[in-house]
Amino acid sequence: QVQLVESGGGLVQTGGSLRLTCEASPSIFNRRAMGWFRQAPGKQRERVAAISEFGSKNYISSVQGRFIISRDNVKNTMWLQMNDLKPEDTGVYYCNAVVGIALMEPLLDFRGQGTQVTVSS
């Protein structure tokens, strides 16, 4: 069964932290790069960060130094530690397999509910 489940979102103040979790079915997670995406109200979905099977990472410039992506290949789980959050980080966050960490192109259709992150000013 192909499954991606995001969790961990919430409402925080500017400067706060959240840790998002993505639990994936092995058929998606095994030997694949994975990534986080987000969609703000009224905007297109954008890439946020990606991690290769072996732990190489890539971030968009606006989150570099604040977010940390990580994964556990045994648990088929990926995380996104988000620190020093800003109002512009607000959105629904999704995870997906990606075609390479450089471009962070999503591999699959987005099928999960995502997890809402709201940062108040």
Side-chain angles (χ1 to χ4, degrees):
Q1 183 179 1
V2 175
Q3 194 172 16
L4 289 162
V5 179
E6 303 92 350
S7 63
L11 171 64
V12 296
Q13 293 185 330
T14 296
S17 298
L18 285 172
R19 190 189 196 205
L20 306 184
T21 299
C22 170
E23 296 176 284
S25 54
S27 61
I28 296 177
F29 201 88
N30 285 346
R31 293 188 291 276
R32 287 206 169 107
M34 296 290 296
W36 285 98
F37 300 79
R38 65 187 179 190
Q39 187 165 20
K43 295 187 177 181
Q44 289 190 332
R45 185 178 287 126
E46 66 169 346
R47 307 170 179 92
V48 176
I51 185 167
S52 73
E53 174 192 2
F54 302 108
S56 297
K57 304 170 186 180
N58 188 28
Y59 302 92
I60 58 172
S61 58
S62 61
V63 308
Q64 181 77 47
R66 299 188 297 121
F67 290 10
I68 301 172
I69 189 171
S70 60
R71 65 188 288 165
D72 185 321
N73 292 339
V74 174
K75 297 180 179 178
N76 298 316
T77 302
M78 176 178 66
W79 297 274
L80 186 68
Q81 176 67 43
M82 306 188 296
N83 301 317
D84 190 23
L85 282 160
K86 303 177 180 182
E88 51 264 41
D89 295 317
T90 293
V92 180
Y93 282 68
Y94 302 88
C95 61
N96 202 335
V98 296
V99 182
I101 65 169
L103 295 179
M104 295 190 272
E105 288 291 336
L107 180 66
L108 305 169
D109 292 336
F110 287 91
R111 60 191 70 203
Q113 296 288 326
T115 186
Q116 176 70 47
V117 172
T118 304
V119 185
S120 62
S121 57

